[in-house]
Amino acid sequence: VQTLIEIDDTEQRPQVIYSILKATATSNISNVFIQFLQKCTPEDLDSVWHLDTFFTTMNELINGTEPSAPLFLLYRIAPNHEAALALADLPLFISLIQMKSYLIQRLSIFTVLCNFEDFCTKMTDVDGLLHLLVSSLGDREFMNGAINLIGSLSSHKVGCRILNDNGVLELFSQLYLNSSYSDDLKTQMILRNLAKNGCIIPQVSLIISCLMQDMMNEQAKKTSILDTLVALVEHYPQSVQEHDLQ
């Protein structure tokens, strides 16, 4: 495998990638393969997923004993809009939802996929994705990945509707108000997205009060806080209280 990689025939690279991918089912070559994938271009990877049996093979591999390399390959392919749409209603997507391990890797893949609004319209197992998201929010080890996924969903109207209609925003607001998550810039970005997409943000008046207090204490983050306050006050003016203004 290492010799094939070192030949570096760019014309044959997609076939080499696919052959090594299939070999991971029986050989311990995941580390070598992942290093190779990091050097591959998006054009190389685009040619691979177009192969007729690619998604079927990938589905078999991620249900096997060592799915780390196939998952990394999926992560590299996920930013391709056409590939993401092809994946949305395949058995492979269901398998990704139902896997019992590699949660950080799967959350990363879903975060990339859910950047596409039409993927979120087309995906077949919204309930499974939400169950995964909610359970991850409650575990500190996976919380960052879950917040990233919420950020991805909040970037467009379809994703915001999914969050709004399924109780996820209540959990997000509690998380924000309880200071359970320390990346303020990320959560403020999500709040701005939710406001601009017309979501009903639970406890928004309390969130505005907290931001007002943070503006007094967090000098380095004042610009982001002000941007967030502008978005919230513009869309929820009735949530501003007199003591906030004072």
Side-chain angles (χ1 to χ4, degrees):
V1 169
Q2 190 64 53
T3 303
L4 283 170
I5 289 171
E6 289 170 359
I7 292 172
D8 200 24
D9 182 344
T10 54
E11 187 175 335
Q12 296 298 321
R13 190 179 289 171
Q15 285 293 343
V16 172
I17 293 170
Y18 189 45
S19 297
I20 300 173
L21 172 68
K22 289 190 288 186
T24 61
T26 53
S27 305
N28 185 19
I29 53 173
S30 292
N31 289 337
V32 173
F33 187 37
I34 288 172
Q35 290 171 16
F36 176 46
L37 289 174
Q38 289 172 328
K39 300 174 184 177
C40 292
T41 67
E43 290 75 21
D44 296 331
L45 302 173
D46 187 44
S47 299
V48 172
W49 76 263
H50 276 106
L51 296 172
D52 288 342
T53 56
F54 174 79
F55 285 119
T56 304
T57 301
M58 187 69 80
N59 193 36
E60 294 170 358
L61 289 170
I62 70 164
N63 287 307
T65 56
E66 180 45 56
S68 57
L71 286 172
F72 184 72
L73 178 54
L74 266 183
Y75 177 72
R76 288 294 313 277
I77 290 171
N80 183 296
H81 184 206
E82 190 181 350
L85 287 183
L87 178 60
D89 57 359
L90 291 177
L92 175 56
F93 179 66
I94 305 298
S95 295
L96 277 174
I97 296 284
Q98 295 177 349
M99 284 179 72
K100 300 300 182 186
S101 55
Y102 292 88
L103 183 52
I104 291 175
Q105 290 86 344
R106 289 186 291 141
L107 286 170
S108 298
I109 292 169
F110 292 135
T111 296
V112 178
L113 293 172
C114 288
N115 276 315
F116 298 115
E117 188 168 18
D118 44 3
F119 171 86
C120 292
T121 302
K122 188 180 178 185
M123 65 175 169
T124 51
D125 191 6
V126 177
D127 289 343
L129 182 69
L130 288 170
H131 177 76
L132 197 72
L133 173 57
V134 170
S135 61
S136 302
L137 274 177
D139 189 322
R140 186 161 292 278
E141 181 182 357
F142 306 116
M143 189 181 292
N144 188 60
I147 293 292
N148 287 339
L149 180 51
I150 290 175
S152 180
L153 287 165
S154 74
S155 64
H156 46 74
K157 288 189 178 297
V158 171
C160 280
R161 188 167 64 245
I162 290 171
L163 295 171
N164 200 79
D165 294 348
N166 292 280
V168 179
L169 296 185
E170 294 178 12
L171 296 174
F172 174 75
S173 292
Q174 290 173 16
L175 193 74
Y176 182 85
L177 293 169
N178 293 337
S179 301
S180 302
Y181 185 72
S182 59
D183 192 337
D184 293 335
L185 296 179
K186 196 175 293 182
T187 52
Q188 288 168 21
M189 177 270 291
I190 292 171
L191 287 170
R192 292 194 295 272
N193 287 346
L194 296 174
K196 290 170 185 174
N197 284 301
C199 290
I200 301 171
I201 303 177
Q203 304 185 75
V204 65
S205 59
L206 190 53
I207 289 173
I208 289 174
S209 294
C210 290
L211 286 166
M212 294 285 193
Q213 290 298 317
D214 290 343
M215 190 167 59
M216 305 299 294
N217 303 320
E218 301 280 355
Q219 292 297 320
K221 299 176 182 177
K222 185 173 284 190
T223 302
S224 176
I225 294 170
L226 280 168
D227 285 343
T228 307
L229 280 169
V230 167
L232 293 176
V233 172
E234 183 177 0
H235 291 86
Y236 316 104
Q238 73 283 1
S239 298
V240 182
Q241 301 175 64
E242 184 177 349
H243 65 82
D244 295 328
L245 298 176
Q246 291 174 344

